[in-house]
Amino acid sequence: MPMSQEFKKRLLPGLENMVAHFGTPFHIYDETGILDTGHALKTAFSPMNKFMEYFAVKALPNPRVMKIMMEMGFGFDCSSIAELALSRQVGASGENIMFTSNNTTDEDFAAALSNGGSIVNLDDISLIPKLPEIPDLICFRYNPGPRRSGNAIIGNPAEAKFGVSHDQIADAYRQARERGATRFGLHTMLASNGLNHAYIVETARMLLSLAKWLSEELGIRFEFINIGGGMGIPYRPEDAPLNLPEMSREIIGLFDDFRSAQGYAPKLYMESGRYMTGPHGVLVTKAINHKNIYRKYIGVDACMSALMRPGMYGAYHHIEVAGKNPTEFPTETVDVVGSLCENNDKFAVQRTLPKIDEGDLLIIQDTGAHGHAMGFNYNAKLRPKELLLRRDGAVELIRREETMADYFATLCFEKNILTR
Ligand SMILES: *Cc1c(COP(=O)(O)O)cnc(C)c1O
């Protein structure tokens, strides 16, 4: 069930026209689907009255989509200066932005603290003295190490470069308080693409019990707990979706327990990327070549510069062929490939699909997060355009495709030679 039936109904009838008007390949995002998911998330946590989603900008750093997040009252999770700039450009500022960097530079800190500031989420205890000034509100990213397991995408916490270790976390808050911080938040980000709600509930439980311990140890209160992103989506037809209602019910229960014991409860923050936009984007690409050697190959007009996940993680992305229902059409087993000189430039490996003719449109699904954004220019391959299927039915170009001029832009520099 990767792509929703509703998205399909909105996309397919106009697809030929979109292709005729804009040309392939393109990613197209479904505004209605994004809004529906955002409202479902807000509704799930509405009994808390203190919930905030900070959309993880890296998942889909397009201002037009970020505006949709703003409209829903969401903030932004950033980890680079450009992501901060994007967030501010769409109107977010101050505590509507979390800055979760790692291996942070002085320039990063300066950008995070200027132009209305942001919530600075420190990745290490050694960064406290490197902050040019300490903001009132400070947050640390906690790494539980061997206390928790992670997963393949993000790695095992004990081997992950992120966050403050368990042994240093109390000292981190102590030092921040000594420098002048008066308000505190606590963050973690452990697993990625998790479909098991119990794991995420466990993360909330872990942070709440850590907050309780730190409060007692240091006599501080926590304004918020940020359980990170990492909520998964069903990429494979057989995957069951994350049980959001059950997850929120259990997390709300944990916060109620905390309130009974401590006399207050922090706010709950979350920074989902994939969950918000992943299922609401597809990559539309045209079959342009057939090849029959030891395997059958279908060559398409997009390549991994448009979607790295299969090549990078061996990730599955469901593919449908427009107008060819696999239950009614003869099928064959193929590899769907791009044109990069890398054998991992494959959107699908040994996939059974309806027999594809040149000119057929392939709909590569769940590309709404970590799709276009992750693309790069290896082999001088250019990234495709992005479109938005708006809720009024119109289709809007929200990023043009890269051109040769973009690729050459960094080469046209002034002479800069160090003679020796
Ligand atoms: C990537 C990232 C996210 C978003 O992850 P998703 O899997 O897209 O939800 C959230 N927080 C941090 C710190 C991240 O690095």
Side-chain angles (χ1 to χ4, degrees):
M1 56 143 283
M3 182 186 181
S4 76
Q5 291 306 317
E6 295 78 45
F7 183 13
K8 235 178 257 180
K9 273 188 221 142
R10 286 189 283 273
L11 178 71
L12 292 183
L15 189 61
E16 289 289 345
N17 275 342
M18 293 172 211
V19 168
H21 185 78
F22 293 105
T24 54
F26 55 79
H27 288 272
I28 184 163
Y29 310 118
D30 179 30
E31 180 174 28
T32 309
I34 294 170
L35 287 166
D36 288 349
T37 295
H39 289 306
L41 194 61
K42 288 209 290 198
T43 304
F45 288 102
S46 59
M48 292 191 78
N49 205 15
K50 283 177 163 187
F51 169 76
M52 176 89 163
E53 153 76 358
Y54 289 81
F55 175 65
V57 175
K58 77 167 189 280
L60 181 42
N62 190 301
R64 186 63 181 78
V65 172
M66 292 169 71
K67 278 250 197 281
I68 304 173
M69 303 298 168
M70 284 285 288
E71 207 182 293
M72 291 189 285
F74 293 170
F76 298 107
D77 180 65
C78 303
S79 60
S80 65
I81 295 172
E83 288 180 356
L84 283 167
L86 279 170
S87 303
R88 288 171 180 148
Q89 194 196 70
V90 298
S93 72
E95 293 181 16
N96 285 336
I97 302 176
M98 285 277 296
F99 188 64
T100 303
S101 59
N102 69 90
N103 190 18
T104 311
T105 63
D106 293 347
E107 291 75 21
D108 290 334
F109 279 139
L113 294 170
S114 62
N115 288 314
S118 62
I119 302 176
V120 176
N121 187 14
L122 289 181
D123 188 65
D124 192 44
I125 192 167
S126 66
L127 295 171
I128 302 167
K130 292 188 176 174
L131 269 171
E133 57 187 294
I134 191 102
D136 280 353
L137 174 58
I138 197 85
C139 182
F140 288 96
R141 177 175 186 162
Y142 171 64
N143 179 335
R147 287 160 189 80
R148 294 294 297 281
S149 59
N151 74 358
I153 296 181
I154 203 161
N156 185 1
E159 294 163 6
K161 66 171 179 166
F162 305 111
V164 181
S165 72
H166 189 79
D167 291 347
Q168 294 174 332
I169 193 78
D171 264 344
Y173 285 98
R174 201 173 282 124
Q175 287 179 25
R177 188 177 52 181
E178 275 161 20
R179 265 205 80 183
T182 56
R183 301 166 55 206
F184 304 95
L186 175 60
H187 168 268
T188 201
M189 164 84 193
L190 295 180
S192 184
N193 194 31
L195 286 171
N196 177 5
H197 74 275
Y199 184 90
I200 299 169
V201 173
E202 223 30 59
T203 297
R205 189 194 311 277
M206 173 191 80
L207 286 184
L208 285 171
S209 84
L210 183 64
K212 175 174 175 294
W213 176 69
L214 289 168
S215 302
E216 288 163 3
E217 197 73 8
L218 306 168
I220 59 177
R221 276 187 173 207
F222 283 90
E223 276 191 25
F224 68 83
I225 300 291
N226 184 336
I227 61 174
M231 294 205 307
I233 59 168
Y235 284 98
R236 291 174 182 271
E238 66 271 22
D239 286 343
L242 183 80
N243 189 339
L244 177 65
E246 182 57 22
M247 185 186 103
S248 60
R249 202 185 60 75
E250 292 181 29
I251 291 177
I252 291 168
L254 294 175
F255 275 72
D256 288 344
D257 294 347
F258 187 98
R259 188 183 295 100
S260 310
Q262 305 294 310
Y264 83 101
K267 291 181 261 190
L268 172 67
Y269 290 175
M270 198 176 266
E271 48 193 35
S272 300
R274 188 185 323 269
Y275 192 79
M276 276 306 308
T277 56
H280 309 304
V282 295
L283 171 62
V284 176
T285 181
K286 191 178 277 178
I288 54 171
N289 284 302
H290 261 91
K291 174 168 180 170
N292 252 314
I293 48 169
Y294 308 102
R295 284 183 181 181
K296 285 190 169 159
Y297 294 93
I298 301 295
V300 296
D301 63 0
C303 69
M304 67 194 294
S305 71
L307 181 68
M308 292 292 298
R309 297 189 72 259
M312 203 156 150
Y313 310 118
Y316 179 95
H317 282 263
H318 198 63
I319 298 180
E320 287 183 40
V321 184
K324 291 186 174 174
N325 187 334
T327 56
E328 295 159 7
F329 221 84
T331 58
E332 62 182 352
T333 300
V334 297
D335 283 12
V336 177
V337 303
S339 55
L340 222 88
C341 301
E342 276 289 337
N343 195 41
N344 61 356
D345 181 19
K346 294 183 176 181
F347 293 111
V349 176
Q350 294 297 281
R351 185 85 56 90
T352 301
L353 292 171
K355 275 202 168 135
I356 293 169
D357 295 307
E358 286 175 22
D360 280 352
L361 295 173
L362 275 65
I363 303 168
I364 304 180
Q365 306 189 6
D366 302 305
T367 68
H370 313 296
H372 185 283
M374 219 186 244
F376 67 171
N377 291 130
Y378 183 50
N379 223 174
K381 295 298 176 184
L382 306 174
R383 276 167 288 201
K385 56 176 75 77
E386 294 179 291
L387 307 177
L388 181 70
L389 176 55
R390 300 189 331 195
R391 77 195 104 160
D392 66 5
V395 180
E396 181 180 337
L397 178 69
I398 61 172
R399 186 194 298 272
R400 65 159 170 79
E401 68 274 31
E402 288 175 337
T403 63
M404 287 273 279
D406 296 325
Y407 186 78
F408 278 82
T410 49
L411 297 173
C412 307
F413 42 77
E414 301 286 300
K415 272 213 164 61
N416 182 346
I417 298 164
L418 176 65
T419 51
R420 306 187 53 198

